[in-house]
């Protein structure tokens, strides 16, 4: 596929410290590719000076830069979705602003697209993350393949390229909660992964802590698999079977040895265990019901406060 027009979509959330370096490194790469391109920055509710830096950049490069300003924070994937909806490029590349991925690796992705691949996923070589994040990522990738069948090397790497056909399929889903790399990969007919460089974050702070990563993993599997529900169904069956066996054991024990105080405490422990299982099950079911509730409300996935672009400059 010949990529006549290229778009780079970059979510921004409190990245004022790294933006000047990003600008210095990104545009020389794109200029050297001899392609028509645009860079779409989505300000995802930043509280720092990010939006002002983006406005200054737009004033310097209005032909290549588009700035989308959200009214509040909607999250990385919704920011990318806004970029998708506001681009008509043949190929769209997504990347984070933190420079942990190298802008200089973008041509590697475009080369694979032009070879005929509709989704090109980057995977991080020699990852410069903390050990606990590496462990969580490895566990997630393993579970994702087993539970959803989505075979990706490194879902957490946001340096990825998509053809316009794939982007349009993603946009058409209209889902309020989604995970774009996996969703796009599920629509692909000829995906491929390519190794890209990875650097430690030198400026700014990551918005992902341990809780958010755990939350991300649960949300992902609730979106792409019924495995949590199936697991709870199996657990319920096993617990019910065990409770019947225990009941028979306690009845036999009473007839053979008579009543005892230990039996009362045993029953308390069993009751609390069963209550814990029931509450866990209600929580899992509630997560799925909550997603159904979000979808049927059909509220906007995000609200764009303003767009800076030569083609449109409006408040929404």
């Amino acid at each position: 596929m010949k990529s006549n027009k290229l778009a780079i979509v970059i979510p921004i959330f409190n990245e004022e410290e790294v933006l000047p370096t990003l600008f210095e490194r990104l545009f020389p790469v794109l200029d050297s590719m001899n392609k028509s391109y645009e860079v779409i920055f989505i300000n995802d509710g930043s509280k720092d000076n990010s939006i002002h830096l983006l406005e200054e950049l737009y004033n310097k490069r209005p032909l290549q830069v588009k700035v989308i300003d959200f009214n509040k924070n909607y999250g990385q994937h919704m920011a990318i979705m806004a970029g998708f909806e506001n681009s008509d490029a043949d190929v769209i590349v997504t990347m984070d602003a933190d420079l942990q991925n190298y802008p200089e690796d973008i041509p590697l992705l475009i080369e694979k697209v032009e070879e005929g691949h509709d989704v090109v996923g980057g995977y991080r070589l020699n990852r410069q993350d903390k050990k606990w994040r590496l462990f969580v990522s490895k566990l997630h990738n393993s579970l994702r393949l087993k539970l959803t069948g989505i075979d990706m090397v490194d879902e957490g790497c946001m340096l990825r390229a998509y053809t316009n056909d794939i982007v349009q399929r993603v946009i058409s889903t209209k889902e309020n909660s989604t995970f774009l790399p996996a969703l796009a990969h599920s629509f692909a007919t000829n995906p491929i992964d390519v190794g890209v460089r990875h650097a430690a974050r030198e400026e700014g702070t990551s918005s992902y802590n341990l809780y958010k990563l755990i939350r991300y993993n649960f949300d992902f599997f609730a979106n792409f698999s019924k495995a949590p529900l199936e697991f709870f169904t199996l657990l319920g069956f096993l617990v019910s079977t065990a409770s019947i066996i225990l009941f028979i054991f306690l009845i036999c024990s009473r007839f053979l040895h008579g009543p005892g105080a230990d039996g009362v405490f045993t029953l308390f422990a069993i009751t609390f265990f069963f209550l814990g299982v029931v509450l866990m099950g209600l929580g899992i079911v509630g997560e799925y019901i909550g997603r159904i509730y979000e979808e049927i409300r059909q509220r906007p996935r995000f609200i764009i406060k303003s767009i800076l672009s030569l083609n449109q400059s409006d408040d929404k």
Side-chain angles (χ1 to χ4, degrees), residues 127-289:
R127 282 187 62 177
Q128 302 297 308
D129 282 328
K130 296 179 180 179
K131 290 183 178 180
W132 67 267
R133 290 197 65 169
L134 295 175
F135 172 76
V136 171
S137 179
K138 184 177 181 179
L139 179 62
H140 173 88
N141 287 329
S142 176
L143 288 174
R144 184 197 61 247
L145 179 59
K146 292 178 180 178
L147 299 181
T148 69
I150 299 175
D151 188 7
M152 304 166 60
V153 177
D154 185 1
E155 179 200 332
C157 179
M158 292 308 296
L159 185 57
R160 318 183 75 85
Y162 310 98
T163 62
N164 185 270
D165 288 342
I166 295 295
V167 168
Q168 294 307 315
R169 292 172 196 167
V170 169
I171 293 173
S172 69
T173 63
K174 301 296 182 183
E175 294 179 12
N176 284 285
S177 175
T178 192
F179 298 81
L180 293 178
L183 184 62
H185 198 280
S186 69
F187 292 147
T189 56
N190 190 21
I192 193 173
D193 295 285
V194 59
V196 295
R197 290 170 287 180
H198 189 246
R201 187 179 182 114
E202 297 182 359
E203 298 177 277
T205 57
S206 172
S207 60
Y208 278 99
N209 53 32
L210 180 59
Y211 170 77
K212 288 185 177 180
L213 287 174
I214 294 174
R215 183 74 236 181
Y216 171 91
N217 280 272
F218 188 87
D219 286 346
F220 176 89
F221 290 115
N223 269 43
F224 286 91
S225 172
K226 295 184 293 182
L229 288 175
E230 293 166 350
F231 167 78
F232 180 68
T233 300
L234 177 61
L235 179 62
F237 173 77
L238 294 175
V239 169
S240 297
T241 302
S243 66
I244 292 172
I245 295 172
L246 181 60
F247 174 77
I248 295 173
F249 170 78
L250 291 175
I251 291 295
C252 293
S253 178
R254 182 179 179 87
F255 281 115
L256 292 174
H257 305 290
D262 291 343
V264 175
F265 294 111
T266 300
L267 287 175
F268 272 128
I270 294 169
T271 301
F272 292 147
F273 172 72
F274 287 163
L275 286 174
V277 171
V278 170
L279 290 174
M280 182 183 72
L282 288 174
I284 293 173
V285 172
E287 289 285 347
Y288 281 89
I289 293 175

Side-chain angles (χ1 to χ4, degrees), residues 29-90:
V29 173
L30 299 176
D31 291 337
S32 69
M33 294 176 66
N34 297 318
K35 293 181 180 295
S36 172
Y37 72 86
E38 64 177 355
V39 182
I40 305 175
F41 295 97
I42 303 91
N43 181 47
D44 188 21
S46 296
K47 301 299 183 183
D48 61 5
N49 199 42
S50 293
I51 185 60
H52 300 296
L53 294 175
L54 295 174
E55 290 170 349
E56 290 175 4
L57 177 66
Y58 171 76
N59 291 330
K60 294 177 182 177
R61 282 181 169 264
L63 294 176
Q64 293 93 18
V65 172
K66 181 181 293 184
V67 178
I68 298 173
D69 189 20
F70 280 174
N71 69 323
K72 65 177 185 178
N73 179 259
Y74 291 95
Q76 181 186 49
H77 294 272
M78 285 300 101
I80 292 174
M81 187 70 80
F84 282 178
E85 292 184 359
N86 284 274
S87 177
D88 60 356
D90 301 305

